[in-house]
Amino acid sequence: MPDLLSHALIAYSLATIASWRYDWITRSYVTAAMAGAFIPDMAKAALVVPSARVEQFIGLPFDWFGLHTLGAAVCSVLIGVVLVSQHERRRAGLLLSLGASSHLLADALLRKPTGLSYPLLWPLSRVYPPTPGLYLSTDICPAVVLSIVTVAVWSVDKRRAST
Amino acid sequence: MLSKPSQRAAGVVVLLLCLGGLLVWFGSLAANPAVGAYPGGDELGTNYDAHLDEQVVVGGGVIETEPLTIAVEYGVDESIELHLVDENTQLEATHGDHVTLFGTAKPDQTVIVEHAYAVPGEQYLYMYLVSFSGGLWVLTRITRTWRFDWDTWSLIPDDENSVTRGDDA
């Protein structure tokens, strides 16, 4: 979707709702989903060090946007999986994947002038699927709507925890 | 598997190399309109005339409104000025707006617009600020709900240390 806050809100809500069904999804795992939602936006490193500058430095073609695809998301999730202790790996992998895929899917709905989104399944496929064009990354509306949804989820969660 | 610190480190290095390889591979992909990868700022900036009569996707800040002209950044601190001819979309853009468009490249760095939209510059500032706060939220939660275990060199959940679940969404 739009901004990173919206992505974090989506991941928080999805993981919290899942925790109502699966007891093992504790606060730590909700965080893992939010960290997963962070992954594709590592491509924003381009704002600090433009891809062209990296190309110049390493002498090879380079594009940060590759991080915003399925292949890079799988690699990044696996890094997280290797970093956690052995008993946590399956669970951490699941929640990181939930967050990363919610990010890629929400961004596939972004408005584009071509009516086509971006190659989210790369390197499996380079096709840019059509997008309904629901919002722009700069819109304020998504963060407002998602904040309301998140507060609702949070208050239900709190009520469940106290009973 | 991958439970010793050295194995863990090796695993991370291999995965980082894979990630780097993917970014190099992605960067080497040429424009391919058949799948939706239209030429963009980099292609036009490097050699505009090679793309005449092709459909292109570019974005840039408005530097002039009569005629509507945007500066498209590419490469390392370079930019190309494009004049936009907009007959159908009734695009209303003022100085400082960011215009994103799909159109056809014509001679004299003129692009015939098919679809376009303009976003005021301040909206980008909003996006960066809100994204930054989102990033801080996630980082704070990571440090509060996971901890690094020096015995096993791994990250482990730290639920005991945190307040009851959901307390600080």
Side-chain angles (χ1 to χ4, degrees):
Chain A
M1 171 154 304
D3 50 86
L4 188 49
L5 178 64
S6 298
H7 286 298
L9 292 171
I10 294 174
Y12 171 85
S13 302
L14 288 177
T16 303
I17 291 170
S19 75
W20 299 341
R21 174 102 165 66
Y22 303 100
D23 283 342
W24 58 265
I25 302 181
T26 56
R27 277 194 77 218
S28 302
Y29 288 107
V30 173
T31 305
M34 293 165 70
F38 202 102
I39 290 172
D41 264 359
M42 291 190 301
K44 295 290 187 298
L47 293 171
V48 186
V49 187
S51 300
R53 208 171 280 280
V54 181
E55 270 182 15
Q56 219 177 29
F57 186 71
I58 62 173
L60 289 168
F62 186 88
D63 192 345
W64 284 115
F65 193 78
L67 282 171
H68 207 291
T69 59
L70 177 68
V74 169
C75 257
S76 310
V77 166
L78 287 177
I79 291 178
V81 167
V82 171
L83 284 177
V84 298
S85 72
Q86 242 170 330
H87 317 286
E88 317 290 342
R89 284 194 178 146
R90 198 180 56 87
R91 296 173 170 187
L94 275 173
L95 272 298
L96 283 169
S97 305
L98 173 74
S101 39
S102 72
H103 185 135
L104 293 178
L105 287 175
D107 274 358
L109 310 177
L110 279 168
R111 183 177 171 196
K112 300 283 173 178
T114 50
L116 304 173
S117 60
Y118 70 100
L120 71 157
L121 293 181
W122 188 83
L124 289 184
S125 156
R126 204 189 159 195
V127 170
Y128 290 49
T131 167
L134 299 185
Y135 33 70
L136 284 171
S137 338
T138 45
D139 283 348
I140 298 173
C141 196
V144 172
V145 172
L146 287 165
S147 297
I148 295 168
V149 171
T150 306
V151 167
V153 169
W154 173 77
S155 57
V156 172
D157 190 56
K158 225 175 161 201
R159 195 161 308 155
R160 288 174 64 100
S162 61
T163 53
Chain B
M1 207 180 90
L2 295 182
S3 50
K4 290 186 193 143
S6 57
Q7 294 171 332
R8 229 183 265 280
V12 170
V13 169
V14 169
L15 286 164
L16 283 175
L17 286 174
C18 286
L19 209 50
L22 282 170
L23 300 191
V24 168
W25 181 12
F26 196 84
S28 70
L29 300 173
N32 179 5
V35 293
Y38 294 94
D42 281 326
E43 285 85 356
L44 294 182
T46 318
N47 187 356
Y48 184 88
D49 291 335
H51 299 282
L52 289 182
D53 293 322
E54 286 181 17
Q55 288 182 303
V56 296
V57 182
V58 285
V62 175
I63 51 172
E64 217 180 303
T65 48
E66 278 303 324
L68 187 56
T69 307
I70 59 170
V72 179
E73 290 175 13
Y74 71 96
V76 180
D77 299 331
E78 290 181 277
S79 77
I80 177 174
E81 290 182 12
L82 298 179
H83 310 293
L84 309 184
V85 176
D86 167 44
E87 283 158 355
N88 315 316
T89 63
Q90 305 291 312
L91 177 68
E92 280 182 30
T94 55
H95 202 275
D97 285 1
H98 189 276
V99 169
T100 309
L101 69 104
F102 177 54
T104 308
K106 293 292 180 188
D108 301 322
Q109 287 174 214
T110 301
V111 178
I112 312 285
V113 176
E114 282 175 45
H115 295 289
Y117 46 80
V119 173
E122 310 86 69
Q123 296 272 105
Y124 279 85
L125 183 66
Y126 159 80
M127 179 179 71
Y128 294 140
L129 287 177
V130 161
S131 294
F132 185 72
S133 66
L136 276 185
W137 179 31
V138 177
L139 286 178
T140 315
R141 270 191 72 121
I142 292 174
T143 55
R144 290 179 62 178
T145 58
W146 289 81
R147 67 183 170 83
F148 192 76
D149 181 54
W150 287 99
D151 293 333
T152 56
W153 274 60
S154 63
L155 287 167
I156 51 174
D158 198 10
D159 283 308
E160 299 78 25
N161 240 348
S162 55
V163 232
T164 40
R165 189 171 56 86
D167 228 28
D168 67 338

